[in-house]
Amino acid sequence: MPVLGKYPTSGFRVDAAGPPKAGISAGAVLLINIKQLLTLRSSSGGARRGAELNELGIIRDGAVLSVGGKIVSVGNTSDALRDPWVRENRRKITEFPCEGKVVVPGFVDAHTHPVFMDARLIDFEKRVSGASYEEIAESGGGIRSSLKGVRRATRNQLAQRVLATLEEMGAQGTTTVEAKSGYGLTIEAELKSLEAIREAACRWPGTVVPTLLGAHVVPPEFLARSHSYVDAVCKEMIPLAAKRNLAAFVDVFTERGAFSLKETETILRVAAHHCLATRVHVCQLAKCNLQPILKYHPASLDHLDYVEDGDVAAIAKLDTVATLVPASNYFLATGHFPPARKLIDAGVPVALATDYNPGTSPTTSMPFVLSLACTQMKMSAAEAIVAATMNGACSLRLGNRKGSLEPGKDADIAVFEVADYREIPYWVAANRCSTTILNGIPRTE
Ligand SMILES: [Zn+2]
């Protein structure tokens, strides 16, 4: 197997790079004797499409060295141990022997809603007894029932909840998380939610990408006058979030019962004006014409359960990623899953995410999502891993830093107690992740 990077020569200083976060510093970390090291290296770069989704770049008896939070070398163990710099500095290096294990790039969970206070057990019971998503929403459940808890909570209480979620995700191999606001739906509560995400992100060694989802649903105060609420999102929430650097993305829930295509376009236009990238929840419950949305080149279109053939062909021509969230289909028990095969075969770059949220997808587990992708959407295990790492990174426009194990990229690494990568989706709802390295900082079970 080819070696991607050279091991550092003497003179490379372990302490050369500053800490990635206040109070946490990344030293030198070396993983050796890895049974299967999935590098996901690629000559093309960017989001993976079609057959590229099966390219894992596996190195057997692999080794990875990171210093100061960045990967400096990827190759085989004998080369790593012969390297003069490694030999000279061995005592300063934190070493992880990985005999019989699989190492993958840390998962990039590119669609989550972690800012909420309470589980939604009434919705859960209603759904179990047969009520639909829309029936639950109309009877006062759904997204609107999470508002009270978020509006009442302090920023610190919300940050504690978000941090606990990030830690749970990290324990299952996730190293980068996109985190949306969207359960406050007032200017104050949305900004508080974004501040809570920022506060939690500062205390977690992984990477968090914040998204303003002020346009999640129309809050009760604005029912029957959604235009006034869209006005508040466009004239106050987006400008304030941009000015205070609280969000990288703006998201919209485009669906019957949420926001119309016209309202979506208005919001996407304002986001672009404030230099924020965009992503859209769309075609989750019903068909929708995507052409007006595609004009704005969103980084990601999420759900896409009911995407139409003409739109699939149009998405394939763009660098927009299709982020599929099958755990919500599982939890809603719709019996219908997003058409992953159709999208992949048409050349659309597909990503996978948890859609972690209290109503429709209360799971933090990317391995569970991979399992659903294989069993319910007929993706191969290799496709699912690439979708959950490299393509998730591209959907967050972080493809140059995250999603593969190559020299120069961030040291985001997950170690699994399995002998073959296909076991990651195979062991359903089990956590076989033993170690996660987040920006060069190891956390072990
Ligand atoms: Zn969502």
Side-chain angles (χ1 to χ4, degrees), residues 1 14 21 42 90 160 167 179 200 214 220 264 271 326 332 353 410 420:
M1 286 288 173
V14 170
K21 309 240 176 184
S42 163
R90 196 91 184 255
Q160 292 288 359
E167 281 171 350
T264 302
L332 290 169
D410 296 346
D420 185 297

Side-chain angles (χ1 to χ4, degrees), residues 100-260:
K101 296 180 189 173
V102 171
V103 168
V104 299
F107 295 125
V108 177
D109 191 346
H111 182 144
T112 85
H113 304 253
V115 193
F116 63 89
M117 288 305 286
D118 304 306
R120 292 221 296 260
L121 300 178
I122 295 170
D123 293 16
F124 181 49
E125 291 208 307
K126 275 189 184 166
R127 189 170 301 117
V128 168
S129 58
S132 72
Y133 180 97
E134 284 153 312
E135 284 163 353
I136 290 167
E138 278 159 20
S139 66
I143 295 164
R144 292 185 187 95
S145 63
S146 290
L147 300 184
K148 203 183 280 178
V150 169
R151 289 178 181 180
R152 274 191 194 147
T154 64
R155 184 186 67 195
N156 192 43
Q157 285 170 324
L158 292 173
Q160 292 288 359
R161 292 296 303 252
V162 176
L163 181 60
T165 301
L166 294 173
E167 281 171 350
E168 198 179 300
M169 290 170 164
Q172 296 169 92
T174 299
T175 52
T176 299
V177 177
E178 183 263 8
K180 305 176 199 292
S181 67
Y183 295 116
L185 308 187
T186 62
I187 291 151
E188 187 201 359
E190 285 298 299
L191 293 176
K192 179 175 68 180
S193 299
L194 291 172
E195 285 166 354
I197 291 169
R198 181 159 71 184
E199 197 172 309
C202 288
R203 287 148 65 192
W204 189 58
T207 302
V208 179
V209 178
T211 294
L212 171 66
L213 179 55
H216 202 181
V217 287
V218 177
E221 305 80 3
F222 286 87
L223 280 182
R225 49 188 192 101
S226 65
H227 61 279
S228 306
Y229 184 66
V230 171
D231 249 17
V233 170
C234 291
K235 292 187 178 147
E236 296 182 78
M237 272 184 211
I238 293 174
L240 281 168
K243 188 173 161 209
R244 292 168 58 187
N245 209 14
L246 285 169
F249 287 91
V250 168
D251 195 345
V252 186
F253 187 19
T254 309
E255 195 67 67
R256 63 185 187 220
F259 295 90
S260 69

Side-chain angles (χ1 to χ4, degrees), residues 249-308:
F249 287 91
V250 168
D251 195 345
V252 186
F253 187 19
T254 309
E255 195 67 67
R256 63 185 187 220
F259 295 90
S260 69
L261 264 181
K262 214 169 160 40
E263 290 167 332
T264 302
E265 280 197 75
T266 305
I267 293 164
L268 297 181
R269 199 177 311 120
V270 172
H273 177 74
H274 287 277
C275 300
L276 294 174
T278 52
R279 43 211 314 114
V280 185
H281 286 66
V282 74
C283 299
Q284 180 185 2
L285 306 171
K287 289 178 184 172
C288 167
N289 171 20
L290 295 182
Q291 299 301 327
I293 294 176
L294 293 179
K295 281 191 309 209
Y296 297 91
H297 287 89
S300 178
L301 293 175
D302 298 41
H303 288 284
L304 293 177
D305 300 32
Y306 292 95
V307 65
E308 297 198 277

